[in-house]
Amino acid sequence: AQKITQTQPGMFVQEKEAVTLDCTYDTSDPSYGLFWYKQPSSGEMIFLIYQGSYDQQNATEGRYSLNFQKARKSANLVISASQLGDSAMYFCAMREDNAGNNRKLIWGLGTSLAVNP
Amino acid sequence: DSGVTQTPKHLITATGQRVTLRCSPRSGDLSVYWYQQSLDQGLQFLIQYYNGEERAKGNILERFSAQQFPDLHSELNLSSLELGDSALYFCASSPGGEGRNGYTFGSGTRLTVV
């Protein structure tokens, strides 16, 4: 069954350092998409980055990059040069492309990131 | 502002009551998704509508129902509320064919059942 695993409930990082948030997934669908979202304490869900299963290059969006290792079924988020405003919950999510009409996202339990000054 | 509008932002109600949560999708988006985020279950998919029709159902209780109207806004109705229904309810929208920026989330409705 499809599943997303985020093994780090909480992480700490010093301001200006890089941090990697882990995500592994399980699916039998050859076509899928992987997403990372940020949820600050205010509650909104903010899209960060997307990786398609057939994308040849790892996705990058500004300070965010996705370390996609397809054979290992991992899609780790790397945040470079951490800022205090990066303190938030981070969710990894997956969409399977051959699930008929259903385009729902399957979510991990999240990682709470705290950036220390 | 993400372009997806959810109202109300906060809702406090008593057990046994009925509430309606409203979502206006981003302009041009035809799909609306409802998710429930609770402390014990995390984020769970409830239901999806596409251009007025129900497209997929997830872990939605029978006490819950939803619809999407001709103007594409959607409402999630929660009835016979229980303490365990307290959660953050998100609406997300997408154009239809999900891709790199396929899902836009609203800011959520925080429901507290007392």
Side-chain angles (χ1 to χ4, degrees), chain B residues 40-110:
Chain B
D40 55 344
Q41 301 250 17
L43 277 145
Q44 300 283 321
F45 168 71
L46 295 178
I47 198 163
Q48 176 198 358
Y49 280 85
Y50 176 79
N51 203 20
E53 293 188 2
E54 181 183 304
R55 185 61 73 90
K57 259 185 176 178
N59 301 321
I60 188 166
L61 300 171
E62 286 191 10
R63 300 184 285 108
F64 296 0
S65 64
Q67 54 184 328
Q68 186 179 30
F69 295 86
D71 67 351
L72 300 179
H73 91 271
S74 177
E75 292 181 357
L76 179 66
N77 301 297
L78 315 176
S79 62
S80 302
L81 285 168
E82 302 174 359
L83 296 178
D85 298 327
S86 295
L88 185 56
Y89 291 84
F90 281 109
C91 165
S93 73
S94 69
E98 288 70 18
R100 301 191 167 273
N101 297 301
Y103 304 91
T104 306
F105 280 77
S107 57
T109 294
R110 188 170 295 279

Side-chain angles (χ1 to χ4, degrees), chain A residues 39 47 55 101 103 105, chain B residues 35 37 55 90 100-101 103:
Chain A
Q39 186 177 36
F47 167 77
D55 291 346
N101 291 325
R103 290 290 185 264
L105 288 172
Chain B
Y35 290 88
Q37 185 180 27
R55 185 61 73 90
F90 281 109
R100 301 191 167 273
N101 297 301
Y103 304 91

